[in-house]
C-alpha cells in the first residue's frame, strides 16, 4: 500500500517568513495530493490540492508543488501570519482508491 | 448543510465497556471513513465504506466494527474498550469517484478516554 512520509514534524517561524513542508510517497500510481490544515480542537480541513497532471498550484499565500519523478510534493506558505499556526497534513491517493493515506503531520508555529 | 456531524464530542469509558460513536453527513456522499488520531501518528484509517451496505477494513481495524445501512450514517462500534483505544476519532466523507473532487470533509471529532 501507499506510504507517505512528512517532514518536519515541527516548524517554528517568525511572522512574515516563509514555511515549507515536504512529503514523499511510495506508490507511483498515486495521482491526487491534498493538504489539510487542522486547528486546535477541530477536524482537518482541505486547504489546497494538486493532481498528477499539474506541477504547481497556487492559491494566494499558499502553493503546492509536485515532482512525480522523485515522488515528492511540498506545501509553501509565504508571508506567514499567526493564524497560520496549526497542524498540516499531506496525503496521497491513487485512482484505484479514493481513501487517501496521510502523513504524520507538521505542527507549524508562527511567532508574532 | 450541517456537513459531517459526530456525537458525542467527549466520552470516558471503563475497560471492557462497549459504545458506538455516531457519524452522519447530509451531503449525499458515497464514501465515508473513520480515522483515529494519536500524537505523532497522524491520521490512521480504521474502516471505510464506499456506499450503503459496503464496508472494508483500513490500517487499524482490530477492536472496531462498522456498518452502513444508509448513505447518511456510518457508526463506529467499540466492542470491548481497551486503554489502547484512547484517541481522538474523526469521521470523514467524500463524493467518491473522479472526476468529481475527492476532497474529504471531516467531522469535529470525538475525544475518547478508556480507563
Amino acid at each position: 500500500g501507499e506510504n507517505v512520509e512528512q517532514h518536519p514534524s515541527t516548524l517554528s517561524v517568525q511572522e512574515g517568513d516563509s514555511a515549507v513542508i515536504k512529503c514523499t510517497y511510495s506508490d507511483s500510481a498515486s495521482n491526487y495530493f491534498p493538504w489539510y490544515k487542522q486547528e486546535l480542537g477541530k477536524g482537518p480541513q482541505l486547504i489546497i490540492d494538486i493532481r498528477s497532471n499539474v506541477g504547481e498550484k497556487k492559491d494566494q499565500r499558499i502553493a503546492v508543488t509536485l515532482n512525480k519523478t522523485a515522488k515528492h510534493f511540498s506545501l509553501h506558505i509565504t508571508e506567514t501570519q499567526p493564524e497560520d499556526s496549526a497542524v498540516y497534513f499531506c496525503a496521497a491517493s491513487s485512482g484505484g482508491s479514493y481513501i487517501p493515506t496521510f502523513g504524520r503531520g507538521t505542527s507549524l508555529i508562527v511567532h508574532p | 448543510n450541517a456537513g459531517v456531524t459526530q456525537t458525542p464530542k467527549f466520552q470516558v469509558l471503563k475497560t471492557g465497556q462497549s459504545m458506538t460513536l455516531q457519524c452522519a453527513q447530509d451531503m449525499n456522499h458515497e464514501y465515508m471513513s473513520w480515522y483515529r488520531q494519536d500524537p505523532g501518528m497522524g491520521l490512521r484509517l480504521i474502516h471505510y465504506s464506499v456506499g450503503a451496505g459496503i464496508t472494508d477494513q483500513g490500517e487499524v481495524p482490530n477492536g472496531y466494527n462498522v456498518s452502513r445501512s444508509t448513505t447518511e450514517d456510518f457508526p463506529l462500534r467499540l466492542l470491548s474498550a481497551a486503554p489502547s483505544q484512547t484517541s481522538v476519532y474523526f469521521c470523514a466523507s467524500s463524493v467518491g469517484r473522479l472526476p468529481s473532487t475527492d476532497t474529504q470533509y471531516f467531522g469535529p471529532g470525538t475525544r475518547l478516554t478508556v480507563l
Side-chain angles (χ1 to χ4, degrees):
Chain A
E2 177 65 276
N3 182 47
V4 177
E5 300 282 342
Q6 182 173 346
H7 299 280
S9 57
T10 305
L11 180 58
S12 183
V13 300
Q14 289 295 127
E15 183 177 0
D17 288 349
S18 294
V20 180
I21 302 170
K22 298 182 179 182
C23 289
T24 60
Y25 62 98
S26 61
D27 188 352
S28 57
S30 289
N31 57 9
Y32 176 63
F33 307 92
W35 285 88
Y36 290 83
K37 176 183 180 182
Q38 185 181 26
E39 297 176 339
L40 197 61
K42 297 184 178 180
Q45 189 170 20
L46 181 79
I47 55 172
I48 195 168
D49 57 12
I50 192 167
R51 298 192 186 276
S52 59
N53 58 346
V54 176
E56 183 176 0
K57 184 176 179 181
K58 195 172 181 180
D59 182 4
Q60 299 183 343
R61 294 186 298 108
I62 61 174
V64 58
T65 58
L66 171 65
N67 183 328
K68 284 222 76 179
T69 303
K71 287 193 272 188
H72 66 71
F73 56 112
S74 301
L75 177 72
H76 304 254
I77 306 174
T78 58
E79 300 172 24
T80 54
Q81 301 167 2
E83 51 265 40
D84 294 329
S85 296
V87 178
Y88 292 80
F89 291 98
C90 64
S93 65
S94 68
S97 168
Y98 299 95
I99 306 292
T101 300
F102 286 83
R104 294 194 173 190
T106 295
S107 177
L108 174 64
I109 303 165
V110 181
H111 299 280
Chain B
N1 285 352
V4 180
T5 57
Q6 291 183 239
T7 56
K9 286 184 185 282
F10 302 94
Q11 183 70 50
V12 179
L13 293 178
K14 294 182 180 178
T15 297
Q17 287 185 316
S18 62
M19 79 158 295
T20 299
L21 308 186
Q22 301 291 344
C23 174
Q25 52 90 11
D26 61 358
M27 298 174 283
N28 201 31
H29 285 172
E30 287 296 320
Y31 278 45
M32 295 186 75
S33 48
W34 276 101
Y35 294 87
R36 59 178 289 172
Q37 183 176 29
D38 303 292
M41 298 298 292
L43 293 159
R44 292 186 292 171
L45 183 66
I46 304 171
H47 285 285
Y48 66 98
S49 168
V50 300
I54 307 169
T55 63
D56 206 345
Q57 296 181 350
E59 180 186 355
V60 288
N62 292 344
Y64 307 96
N65 271 1
V66 292
S67 60
R68 183 101 179 268
S69 57
T70 68
T71 299
E72 293 78 21
D73 301 296
F74 190 43
L76 178 72
R77 297 182 185 84
L78 280 70
L79 309 172
S80 177
S84 60
Q85 293 178 305
T86 294
S87 187
V88 181
Y89 292 85
F90 288 100
C91 178
S93 73
S94 60
V95 171
R97 300 198 177 275
L98 294 172
S100 299
T101 176
D102 38 12
T103 300
Q104 296 235 317
Y105 295 84
F106 284 85
T110 293
R111 184 175 295 274
L112 176 68
T113 301
V114 183
L115 302 175

